[in-house]
Amino acid sequence: MAATQVRNHIRKLRFARDEMTQQKLAEQVGVTRQTIVAIEKEKYSPSLEVAFKIALALGEPLDAVFFYAPGAK
């Protein structure tokens, strides 16, 4: 699976939130832990709805969680 150009700060923000687990974030967002893993590792770009739910669960604005990095590897 190729990496996406949508980058994120999910791991850093989870740890800033009292070391929130991927499972806990997944439960709050309504997706599987595997989905969170794939998004966090930038293997998969979330839908806009899931991106907003992740930002909400982390207590951050969307642009503090996700950013677009065209051409990044």
Side-chain angles (χ1 to χ4, degrees):
M1 192 181 310
T4 177
Q5 294 181 4
V6 175
R7 305 291 188 228
N8 68 75
H9 298 293
I10 296 172
R11 181 176 169 79
K12 177 180 77 170
L13 293 169
R14 280 193 308 103
F15 277 80
R17 301 292 177 286
D18 204 22
E19 297 190 20
M20 176 189 283
T21 65
Q22 290 170 331
Q23 183 63 43
K24 180 71 173 173
L25 179 58
E27 289 169 1
Q28 289 184 12
V29 173
V31 298
T32 66
R33 186 187 66 79
Q34 290 81 2
T35 298
I36 296 298
V37 169
I39 295 168
E40 193 172 286
K41 290 185 175 185
E42 300 172 346
K43 301 284 186 193
Y44 170 75
S45 293
S47 69
L48 188 55
E49 182 176 0
V50 169
F52 273 108
K53 287 180 178 181
I54 290 170
L56 184 63
L58 293 171
E60 296 287 341
L62 187 65
D63 64 347
V65 180
F66 295 96
F67 61 98
Y68 185 66
K73 294 188 181 205

